[in-house]
Amino acid sequence: MNVGEIVFGGSLWLALPLSLLAGLVSFASPCVLPLVPGYLGIVGGSTDGRQRVARTVLGALLFVLGFSVVFVGFGIAFGAAGLALKPWLDIITRIMGAVIIVLGLVFVGFFRLFQRTAKVNLAPRVGLVGAPLLGIVFGLGWTPCIGPTLAAIFSLSLDTASPVRGALLGVAYCIGLGLPFVLLAAGLHWATSSVAFLRRHIRAINIAGGILLILIGVLMVTGVWNIIIAESQAVIGQYVTTL
């Protein structure tokens, strides 16, 4: 399978930007955004000046690498499961769509019972050595907290029926979730201002993210998602790339 078949042979072309957006929404969620300064402080150590900035950026990258291992691994697993369940993928897609609708409603504010967060409270070693482990702990422990957006990504990974495409969706999600960590670690003023904006409008962001999840779920339940993918593939297939 060549690169073109990987990118255009399924729903990946549409799912990738959705995965990236889901990562950004997860970063802006109430169970991640308030903890960002603490994470950066843990991985940054106690040095000062430029050395501290460089160390914090490196620590943030290692932290992102840690949780990326977890989420990309999940993407591969769900992509492989989709491949194994391909004969029943249509009905499974509709069922997962219904699940995503419910999780979207939870994100918006319905079903208070499911809005309690469950996190694993572990304290790995601090600094650069512990940064990847802290990222892994974050990926495993915070999965129930950012579950609504992750469920959407896992469903899309399942729909691709490919471990490679599932991995790519996991990478896109981790970029959306991890890039803000790195930008803040670099001390970019506009990034700090953006986080302040997110804090002020976190409720609106959650509602928008929930509506997006509901929309994706409705498309999957009604079968429109598969129709969109099939029609787009037919259009893409009419074009031949020239060298």
Side-chain angles (χ1 to χ4, degrees):
M1 180 179 292
N2 59 38
V3 175
E5 290 175 330
I6 291 175
V7 175
F8 299 116
S11 59
L12 192 64
W13 69 272
L14 180 58
L16 277 175
L18 290 175
S19 299
L20 182 66
L21 181 58
L24 291 171
V25 171
S26 294
F27 176 82
S29 66
C31 54
V32 175
L33 188 61
L35 303 178
V36 172
Y39 281 121
L40 295 181
I42 290 175
V43 302
S46 59
T47 56
D48 298 319
R50 292 184 177 179
Q51 184 178 0
R52 175 178 175 79
V53 173
R55 182 184 178 89
T56 304
V57 170
L58 179 57
L61 288 170
L62 293 173
F63 172 75
V64 171
L65 177 63
F67 69 67
S68 295
V69 170
V70 176
F71 295 142
V72 173
F74 282 146
I76 293 173
F78 275 82
L83 182 61
L85 299 172
K86 198 168 185 177
W88 306 278
L89 203 54
D90 181 66
I91 184 63
I92 293 175
T93 298
R94 295 175 189 268
I95 294 173
M96 293 302 296
V99 173
I100 292 175
I101 291 174
V102 173
L103 292 175
L105 291 172
V106 172
F107 220 68
V108 169
F110 294 93
F111 309 117
R112 295 286 181 181
L113 177 64
F114 298 102
Q115 297 196 25
R116 299 176 181 177
T117 60
K119 302 183 287 289
V120 177
N121 295 315
L122 299 176
R125 292 179 59 189
V126 298
L128 296 181
V129 175
L133 177 58
L134 181 62
I136 293 174
V137 170
F138 171 85
L140 294 174
W142 259 249
T143 295
C145 185
I146 56 180
T149 50
L150 270 180
I153 302 310
F154 294 159
S155 298
L156 295 176
S157 298
L158 189 69
D159 188 58
T160 63
S162 166
V164 175
R165 295 184 187 125
L168 290 176
L169 292 183
V171 170
Y173 177 83
C174 291
I175 291 175
L177 177 59
L179 186 58
F181 278 100
V182 178
L183 295 177
L184 287 171
L188 298 180
H189 175 72
W190 65 266
T192 304
S193 300
S194 297
V195 169
F197 174 84
L198 293 177
R199 287 178 182 273
R200 293 194 303 268
H201 300 87
I202 192 168
R203 178 58 183 156
I205 293 170
N206 286 335
I207 292 175
I211 292 174
L212 176 63
L213 291 177
I214 294 171
L215 176 60
I216 294 174
V218 170
L219 292 176
M220 295 174 74
V221 168
T222 59
V224 175
W225 175 269
N226 290 333
I227 294 175
I228 293 174
I229 299 304
E231 292 292 335
S232 62
Q233 287 177 334
V235 173
I236 293 172
Q238 296 175 2
Y239 295 90
V240 178
T241 303
T242 58
L243 298 178

